[in-house]
Amino acid sequence: MKKAMRFQECDATEESRLTALRTVLEKTKKPFQRGDSIGIKLHWGETGNKNFLSPVYAREIVKWLRAAGIKPFVLDTTVLYSGGRRDGREALNTATKHGFTDDYLGCEVLIGDGLDGKSIIDLPAGFQHFKTVQTGKVIQDADGFVIFSHFKGHMEAAFGGSIKNISMGFASRAQKQRMHADAKPKLIVKKCIKCGECADVCPAGAATMAGNQFPVYDLVKCIGCAQCIALCPETALKIKWDTDINVFQEKLVETAAAVWKVIQNKTVVINALIDIVAECDCLPGNHHKIAEDKGFICAYHPVLADAEAIKHIGADPINKAHPHIPWQRQFEYAKEIGFCS
Ligand code: SF4
Ligand code: SF4
């Protein structure tokens, strides 16, 4: 069953998308028991983001689980940066604003690492970068998961799908920081208009502006969240990797692999290849499309699901959106550490 995979194509209409999702779900065998408590791990979008997946799709997954006597709930975890999801209460407010309510979905919406971000556990990992990995405790509490991911571009991983949803998505805030820690801002002075946005959004007080000077970045204080880089209106900041650029890809995969060891026997992975934009749903704004809608993939392994998504989209749109990111390293490294054969 690990290699089983379903794909159902759709066009950009909501009717076509919903039909495709229902079809692919109907054909997917559930590795769950009646009465199981199953978390639907998704991303309900940062405040101001216009590209996150509508809750209408999560509601279909809830119905699919309920029809089999399963008890679903929807979850995400708190994040590093300022915005609408830094602590659990803010994150639930953002979920509500984006339509992810208990009433609409037909199940509870909760925060996987607790409202205060402290409901966390350490998992054994034993890898090169991480000997242990810290995640939301929800991975221990639930009987299983549906990993529901919006497949799209990402500024540090080049693409974001199931691997990233499991890795960054379940990680505690500290673990998120450990993964991001090597990405620091570098100013392209000639592009900077001194607007101060980077200093305003910096959650660590590392980006500062004095008078009419160019911004400065204290790279000791910097937690590498990349928020300033993502939100600079002039693209005047680029990522300066403290280490080899491959390290972020490897850390992402190690975290996903450690989580996967715990959840693999009772998890379905779904990639939604719709509204395929250049950037993550973590960023405010309306990001440009890099590919047309393709459909939905249901699988039982995140690496296989993401590889399949790239087959449908093609590598070119990802390479064009994020030309200098060695995203292929995620697949190579997954094999090297035995995450995926
Ligand atoms: S956000 Fe960009 S343009 Fe504005 S001050 Fe910072 S680096 Fe300069
Ligand atoms: S300076 Fe560092 S901590 Fe501050 S927003 Fe930029 S990347 Fe994040």
Side-chain angles (χ1 to χ4, degrees):
M1 189 151 118
K2 287 288 169 213
K3 295 208 165 165
M5 182 117 53
R6 300 277 178 193
F7 171 72
Q8 187 66 40
E9 66 181 347
C10 69
D11 60 34
T13 64
E14 186 148 299
E15 192 188 341
S16 172
R17 290 169 167 187
L18 278 172
T19 302
L21 178 58
R22 284 181 195 130
T23 304
V24 87
L25 288 173
E26 274 165 23
K27 292 178 180 170
T28 297
K29 194 168 160 9
K30 300 176 189 75
F32 313 129
Q33 309 282 328
R34 183 169 280 274
D36 275 355
S37 170
I38 300 298
I40 303 170
K41 170 67 189 73
L42 49 68
H43 190 318
W44 49 66
E46 185 50 89
T47 298
N49 177 270
K50 305 291 182 203
N51 310 114
F52 64 89
L53 293 181
S54 156
V56 72
Y57 307 111
R59 188 170 66 164
E60 279 309 308
I61 298 170
V62 170
K63 285 186 203 162
W64 175 65
L65 293 170
R66 284 219 181 278
I70 290 157
K71 293 182 280 185
F73 64 94
V74 161
L75 77 135
D76 200 359
T77 55
T78 58
V79 299
L80 274 181
Y81 36 81
S82 53
R85 296 178 306 128
R86 187 167 166 79
D87 75 39
R89 277 176 197 83
E90 280 175 6
L92 288 177
N93 283 340
T94 303
T96 299
K97 282 186 201 144
H98 289 179
F100 292 80
T101 62
D102 298 10
D103 282 352
Y104 179 77
L105 295 168
C107 70
E108 193 183 2
V109 179
L110 55 80
I111 303 298
D113 54 341
L115 289 180
D116 58 1
K118 292 181 183 165
S119 183
I120 51 183
I121 52 168
D122 288 302
L123 305 176
F127 299 124
Q128 177 191 353
H129 304 295
F130 297 129
K131 299 299 171 222
T132 60
V133 154
Q134 193 179 69
T135 70
K137 190 167 164 294
V138 68
I139 75 156
Q140 207 174 48
D141 298 340
D143 294 313
F145 292 94
V146 175
I147 308 296
F148 183 49
S149 310
H150 182 198
F151 198 93
K152 66 230 164 299
H154 186 270
M155 65 185 302
E156 291 179 6
F159 70 89
S162 298
I163 297 171
K164 186 163 173 297
N165 195 6
I166 290 174
S167 173
M168 208 59 87
F170 277 110
S172 68
R173 292 181 63 217
Q175 182 69 23
K176 286 181 173 93
Q177 185 174 332
R178 290 170 202 155
M179 283 189 272
H180 277 301
D182 304 317
K184 302 291 169 67
K186 181 170 169 48
L187 184 67
I188 306 165
V189 172
K190 64 179 186 222
K191 290 178 102 180
C192 178
I193 58 169
K194 302 180 184 174
C195 68
E197 180 71 12
C198 50
D200 288 347
V201 299
C202 177
T208 52
M209 302 266 309
N212 195 33
Q213 304 296 306
F214 285 109
V216 291
Y217 305 93
D218 181 336
L219 298 188
V220 176
K221 277 190 183 170
C222 174
I223 59 171
C225 70
Q227 177 116 318
C228 55
I229 302 162
L231 296 181
C232 169
E234 302 298 316
T235 59
L237 291 167
K238 61 180 188 177
I239 297 177
K240 171 183 170 295
W241 294 95
D242 262 4
T243 55
D244 184 324
I245 190 171
N246 286 299
V247 170
F248 176 77
Q249 317 297 321
E250 293 171 1
K251 287 182 171 180
L252 195 68
V253 169
E254 287 190 3
T255 304
V259 172
W260 190 245
K261 271 187 205 159
V262 179
I263 68 172
Q264 61 183 332
N265 291 327
K266 281 192 143 191
T267 295
V268 171
V269 173
I270 305 174
N271 272 341
L273 280 61
I274 59 177
D275 285 330
I276 307 166
V277 291
E279 293 296 349
C280 181
D281 298 340
C282 295
L283 300 182
N286 192 7
H287 303 287
H288 70 277
K289 274 198 182 187
I290 59 172
E292 294 306 314
D293 281 24
K294 303 293 176 197
F296 291 84
I297 294 166
C298 263
Y300 298 96
H301 198 295
V303 178
L304 299 180
D306 283 359
E308 186 71 10
I310 290 173
K311 265 191 217 160
H312 285 279
I313 294 168
D316 280 0
I318 296 166
N319 288 333
K320 274 187 195 144
H322 300 286
H324 305 298
I325 299 179
W327 54 267
Q328 295 86 344
R329 182 67 188 141
Q330 292 180 46
F331 295 104
E332 289 165 8
Y333 195 59
K335 278 192 186 162
E336 286 173 25
I337 64 172
F339 181 15
C340 187
S341 55

